[in-house]
Amino acid sequence: MTSYCATINDEAITKYNELILGNIHKGIIFKFSDDLKEVVLDDSFNGDSFEDYIKKLPDDDCRYGVYNFQYTKNNNNNNNNNNNNNNNNNNNNNNNNNNNNNNNNNNNNNNNNNNNNNNNNNNNYGEKKNKIFFISWCPAETKIKNKIIHTASEQSLKKSLVGIEATIKATDNTEISQSIIEERCK
């Protein structure tokens, strides 16, 4: 029985580790060697946008890609809702104790308002995050043999690339875009 699974070149793993550990590249693209027996580095990417990165994918041949997508996760709505719930609970507790401790309640309300203002100010900026995407690119125009080897080798490659957080499989540009990546980061 003939194995169609290509091995992974050491340079490809080294470039991936540079992307993950050193943030040297934003993205890398792998291809098959000319004899289709090895996955090798095709290109590394340090451009400005994901759209520029996907322009590097050919229309007529398979590629694997890894992209370190940076985004800002904004939790304002969730935190504000939690703060509002805490305010309501504190106000209810303060109203129940109103007859006994008028001075203490006023101090508690002032402290709660100060804390909420600080929380709201801290949440305006959002949290910067990264997500590592594995991209399986296999256009319809690709030769059948290349498609078979691409499919057979994909899982082996993914297993050797520790730290992949999401996978996108695409056959044309309608299945891969910055908006799709952003949606997967929510």
Side-chain angles (χ1 to χ4, degrees):
M1 182 169 133
T2 304
S3 172
Y4 290 107
C5 188
T7 60
I8 294 93
N9 179 287
D10 289 339
E11 182 190 15
I13 299 297
T14 300
K15 286 294 183 184
Y16 173 76
N17 288 334
E18 288 175 0
L19 181 140
I20 293 293
L21 301 174
N23 291 324
I24 294 173
H25 312 290
K26 282 186 181 179
I28 47 181
I29 298 173
F30 304 111
K31 67 176 185 176
F32 292 110
S33 59
D34 292 338
D35 63 1
L36 302 175
K37 293 185 178 188
E38 201 173 26
V39 176
V40 298
L41 179 71
D42 183 29
D43 199 0
S44 58
F45 177 77
N46 289 314
D48 292 329
S49 73
F50 183 72
E51 298 298 333
D52 291 337
Y53 173 77
I54 61 175
K55 287 178 186 174
K56 294 183 165 280
L57 299 172
D59 293 332
D60 61 351
D61 202 6
C62 297
R63 293 291 187 271
Y64 301 111
V66 176
Y67 192 83
N68 186 357
F69 187 74
Q70 298 173 349
Y71 64 100
T72 302
K73 186 172 183 178
N74 192 349
N75 292 327
N76 280 345
N77 291 338
N78 291 340
N79 286 335
N80 284 341
N81 287 339
N82 289 338
N83 287 337
N84 287 339
N85 289 338
N86 288 338
N87 278 345
N88 289 340
N89 289 338
N90 287 336
N91 286 338
N92 288 339
N93 289 337
N94 286 340
N95 287 337
N96 290 337
N97 294 325
N98 216 6
N99 293 334
N100 297 331
N101 298 317
N102 282 334
N103 290 337
N104 288 338
N105 287 337
N106 288 335
N107 289 338
N108 285 341
N109 284 335
N110 288 337
N111 287 338
N112 286 336
N113 288 337
N114 288 337
N115 287 338
N116 288 333
N117 287 338
N118 289 337
N119 286 339
N120 288 337
N121 289 338
N122 290 336
N123 291 328
N124 287 337
Y125 299 105
E127 181 182 359
K128 293 193 186 266
K129 301 194 88 157
N130 289 19
K131 192 165 196 170
I132 306 298
F133 283 89
F134 179 83
I135 298 161
S136 178
W137 176 255
C138 194
E141 294 79 15
T142 303
K143 295 177 186 173
I144 296 296
K145 184 174 182 179
N146 291 19
K147 286 182 182 183
I148 291 169
I149 294 171
H150 179 85
T151 302
S153 303
E154 183 175 320
Q155 289 305 314
S156 178
L157 177 61
K158 279 177 64 175
K159 284 181 184 177
S160 63
L161 303 177
V162 177
I164 298 294
E165 298 174 271
T167 299
I168 294 181
K169 294 184 178 199
T171 59
D172 63 39
N173 288 334
T174 63
E175 297 174 334
I176 188 168
S177 67
Q178 179 138 349
S179 62
I180 291 171
I181 294 284
E182 289 170 349
E183 184 65 30
R184 298 284 301 271
C185 289
K186 289 183 180 180

